[in-house]
């Protein structure tokens, strides 16, 4: 079971299309299902209507998703995140942090200032999870071995934010488990979060899926394309052309010319080979220059 989990903070760009194409082909090539989850946990960053736009774009590009789209903002999901949070609390893993950004910023990792505060204070505070001083390693299908020692590389991280929102790290772990996701294929920008997610899976007794982190597309000067760096909205682009670019960027063989969308997908899935994707970044195809 695979998934694509866009955040509706902006329309899809070529980088998000790569994650969509790779996760879709990988799931379908294994006769698996492919779910779409709208990661709208960070409500202040979500733009109204962008979820619809993303779903319309996926449909226009010929992606066939299984099941309904899961929205993290649904009250039912919030309850589930609350249950996970209280499990962590009962395990004695949480503490309450009142540090300002300025107090934390000089340190490479959170210095543990509030570790002793086990009761929530009255004022504004974030909830952090205590991390272990041990290696957490994953074997990524593309990036091979990746490990972090959370105590040294990351520090106690936020699980429930000052603004009353659940942290992405918690939501994604709970959602992937609830949706039965066995294979996560996503951008390498999230590789760094994966050990935190694996740690939370271990705490919550959830299975760890297989991971494949695809390289990020970079522009001519080596900067990654992201919504923030004006990556072009692909909503109105020609689907077969962009799917071909995406397959090429993912190291896949080129489909024969002139295939209609549905045959293009069939061909791409039949020839899908994730082992052809290597490395950490791929140059942007010239014709997509912003
Ligand atoms: N919502 C994240 C993004 O749009 C993806 C998270 C994931 O795939 O785990 O970058
Ligand atoms: Zn603190």
């Amino acid at each position: 079971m695979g998934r694509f989990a866009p955040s509706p903070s902006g329309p899809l760009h070529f980088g998000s299309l790569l994650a969509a194409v790779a996760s879709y082909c990988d799931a379908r090539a294994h006769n698996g299902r492919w779910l779409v989850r709208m990661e709208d946990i960070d409500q202040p960053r979500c733009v109204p209507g962008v979820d619809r736009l993303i779903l319309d774009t996926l449909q226009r590009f010929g992606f066939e998703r299984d099941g309904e789209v899961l929205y993290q903002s649904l009250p039912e999901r919030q309850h589930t995140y609350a249950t996970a949070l209280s499990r962590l609390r009962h395990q004695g893993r949480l503490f309450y942090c009142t540090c300002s950004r300025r107090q934390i910023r000089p340190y490479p990792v959170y210095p543990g200032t509030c570790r002793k505060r086990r009761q929530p204070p009255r004022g504004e505070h974030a909830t952090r999870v205590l991390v272990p001083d041990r290696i957490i390693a994953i074997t990524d299908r593309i990036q091979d071995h990746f490990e972090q020692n959370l105590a040294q590389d990351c520090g106690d991280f936020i699980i429930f934010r000052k603004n009353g929102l659940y942290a992405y790290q918690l939501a994604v772990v709970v959602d992937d488990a609830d949706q039965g996701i066995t294979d996560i294929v996503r951008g390498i920008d999230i590789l760094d979060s994966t050990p935190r997610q694996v740690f939370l899976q271990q705490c919550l007794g959830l299975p760890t899926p297989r991971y494949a982190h695809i390289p990020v597309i970079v522009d001519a000067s080596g900067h990654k394309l992201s919504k923030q760096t004006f990556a072009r909205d692909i909503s109105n682009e020609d689907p077969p052309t962009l799917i071909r670019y995406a397959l090429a960027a993912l190291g896949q063989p080129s489909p024969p010319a002139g295939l209609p969308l549905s045959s293009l997908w069939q061909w791409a899935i039949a020839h899908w080979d994730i082992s052809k994707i290597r490395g950490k970044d791929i140059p942007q195809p010239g014709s997509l220059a912003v």
Side-chain angles (χ1 to χ4, degrees):
M1 181 95 76
R3 49 70 154 183
F4 176 55
S7 305
S9 52
L12 294 183
H13 54 85
F14 191 67
S16 29
L17 182 68
L18 286 185
V21 169
S23 61
Y24 185 63
C25 289
D26 194 63
R28 291 290 191 247
H30 294 93
N31 296 315
R33 287 156 55 84
W34 184 75
L35 309 181
V36 174
R37 179 166 78 230
M38 210 40 83
E39 296 211 314
D40 59 353
I41 190 87
D42 192 357
Q43 279 289 327
R45 286 192 55 223
C46 295
V47 181
V50 164
D51 60 321
R52 274 302 349 147
L53 179 65
I54 290 175
L55 296 175
D56 289 349
T57 305
L58 289 175
Q59 192 177 22
R60 211 169 60 79
F61 273 68
F63 290 94
E64 290 176 359
R65 69 162 191 268
D66 293 294
E68 288 306 308
V69 178
L70 186 79
Y71 281 75
Q72 292 181 323
S73 58
L74 290 176
E76 170 264 316
R77 295 315 298 155
Q78 303 290 310
H79 286 303
T80 313
Y81 306 145
T83 307
L85 191 73
S86 75
R87 259 187 101 170
L88 295 171
R89 186 176 300 116
H90 285 121
Q91 292 171 352
R93 296 184 193 275
L94 303 185
F95 67 92
Y96 302 93
C97 171
T98 54
C99 296
S100 68
R101 211 166 272 206
R102 202 182 312 155
Q103 281 170 290
I104 297 173
R105 208 182 277 138
Y107 301 95
V109 301
Y110 178 73
T113 320
C114 303
R115 274 192 160 186
K116 297 240 154 61
R117 190 182 292 110
R118 298 308 183 99
Q119 295 301 323
R122 262 167 209 278
E124 232 187 23
H125 60 273
T127 307
R128 289 181 185 268
V129 60
L130 288 161
V131 298
D133 187 9
R134 66 175 162 87
I135 298 283
I136 295 184
I138 60 159
T139 304
D140 190 277
R141 293 163 68 203
I142 300 171
Q143 305 301 330
D144 301 321
H145 183 83
F146 182 74
E147 63 173 46
Q148 277 179 356
N149 177 321
L150 292 180
Q152 288 160 27
D153 299 330
C154 159
D156 303 328
F157 60 92
I158 293 181
I159 202 100
F160 190 71
R161 298 164 51 183
K162 266 186 189 160
N163 60 5
L165 295 173
Y166 294 92
Y168 156 76
Q169 308 296 353
L170 181 69
V172 78
V173 159
V174 170
D175 290 342
D176 283 331
D178 282 358
Q179 295 191 285
I181 305 299
T182 55
D183 286 90
I184 293 181
V185 181
R186 62 185 180 189
I188 197 174
D189 51 321
I190 313 173
L191 181 60
D192 203 53
S193 297
T194 307
R196 272 173 278 172
Q197 295 177 10
V198 170
F199 167 61
L200 291 177
Q201 287 153 4
Q202 293 171 352
C203 296
L204 295 167
L206 304 174
T208 291
R210 274 183 297 273
Y211 288 100
H213 286 90
I214 59 168
V216 78
I217 197 111
V218 293
D219 64 18
S221 45
H223 295 121
K224 92 167 208 195
L225 290 194
S226 71
K227 288 160 196 165
Q228 285 75 19
T229 58
F230 313 106
R232 195 162 85 188
D233 174 5
I234 60 159
S235 313
N236 300 310
E237 305 276 341
D238 177 53
T241 308
L242 255 70
I243 293 164
R244 285 168 182 280
Y245 281 144
L247 293 170
L250 294 167
Q252 305 299 305
S254 335
L259 291 182
L261 201 51
S262 62
S263 322
L264 182 61
W265 278 122
Q266 268 173 18
W267 199 95
I269 292 161
H271 293 83
W272 178 250
D273 180 0
I274 203 167
S275 72
K276 295 219 160 74
I277 313 176
R278 304 305 318 157
K280 299 207 181 306
D281 47 47
I282 16 181
Q284 176 181 16
S287 36
L288 267 176
V290 201

